[in-house]
Structures are given as structure tokens and as C-alpha cells.
Amino acid sequence: MNCGRFIAAALGGSVVMWLLGGLWHMYLMSGFYGEHSVSTPLPEPKMLFIILGYLILGVLMSYVYPKGYKGGGAIAEGLRFGAVIGLLWVLPHAVILHGVYFGAMGTLILVDAAWHMVEQGLGGIAIALIYCRKADEDASAAAA
């Protein structure tokens, strides 16, 4: 594994997903989540933990991506990979929490799972593009 490529992909994917997540949850859909959530959010989000969570997600996705790469274009492969990761990450967790918090709404579970398929799909595209770009650069350097 190329360490530089891995770090660049992990950071790139993390930043993309963090920015998209902030836009979605804090601006576009904050009212929806407020209306459909059964738990009360903190007055101020703990950004350190949110950033740490996205870094962990970016590292894990960047580690797994090359192992499951099946060939094909970076955009299609990254989107497919990221959408699957979003579904694997969020849907089971949300269903389990639905069993704990009796007031949880099925609509929230479905919307959040669908969103994370998009968010991680776009993060997967960033990761795939970085891996492809770095692979092209490595091939060019080896040919020179």
C-alpha cells in the first residue's frame, strides 16, 4: 500500500464527507432532524468528536477501497463503494437504536440511511479519484 496515496485519500474523503454532513445536518435538514429525533441534541455540537468520527470513517474507507476495487471508472466505483459503506454503516445502527428509543420514527431512519448513501458515495468518489490520480502519477513517474 502506498502510504502517501492512503493518507491523501483518507483526508480527502474525510473532508468531503464532513463538509457534506455539516451542510446537510446543520443547514438543509436541521428542522427535519429536530422534528423526527427522539433525543435532544447538545446545545453546541462537540466538533472535535465529529471531526474525529469523519477521520476514522475516511481512514477505514480508504483502507477498504483498494481491497474491493473491481476495475472501472473512479466515479462509478467510488460512488458504488461509498453508497454501500453508507448503507452498511448507518442502517443497522439506526434500526438498533429504533429498538432502544421507542419514539424513533421510521421516516428518520430511511431518510438518514438514504442521505448517508449519498454522503459516503460522494466521499467514496473523492477517495477513488485520489487513488486513481495518484496511480496515474506513479505510472508517469515510473515511465520517466
Side-chain angles (χ1 to χ4, degrees):
M1 175 185 300
N2 180 313
C3 211
R5 184 182 317 164
F6 172 75
I7 291 170
L11 289 175
S14 296
V15 168
V16 166
M17 293 182 290
W18 177 69
L19 290 172
L20 289 169
L23 179 66
W24 177 261
H25 288 94
M26 293 175 62
Y27 297 105
L28 298 176
M29 297 292 284
S30 64
F32 173 83
Y33 282 93
E35 291 171 20
H36 290 85
S37 182
V38 296
S39 60
T40 305
L42 296 170
E44 289 293 320
K46 294 184 178 186
M47 289 307 293
L48 177 63
F49 289 98
I50 294 169
I51 291 169
L52 180 60
Y54 276 107
L55 282 172
I56 292 168
L57 182 58
V59 165
L60 293 173
M61 286 176 67
S62 295
Y63 177 76
V64 173
Y65 177 78
K67 295 175 181 344
Y69 178 69
K70 297 181 181 191
I75 293 176
E77 279 294 303
L79 181 61
R80 178 192 61 79
F81 167 74
V84 168
I85 292 294
L87 189 62
L88 289 173
W89 173 46
V90 173
L91 187 58
H93 181 252
V95 170
I96 291 167
L97 289 181
H98 183 69
V100 175
Y101 298 105
F102 295 113
M105 313 268 300
T107 303
L108 175 66
I109 292 170
L110 295 176
V111 168
D112 202 45
W115 164 248
H116 281 282
M117 290 177 70
V118 171
E119 180 183 300
Q120 275 65 71
L122 294 172
I125 289 172
I127 290 167
L129 288 171
I130 291 168
Y131 268 111
C132 286
R133 189 189 81 233
K134 290 288 192 180
D136 292 344
E137 289 171 5
D138 293 346
S140 295

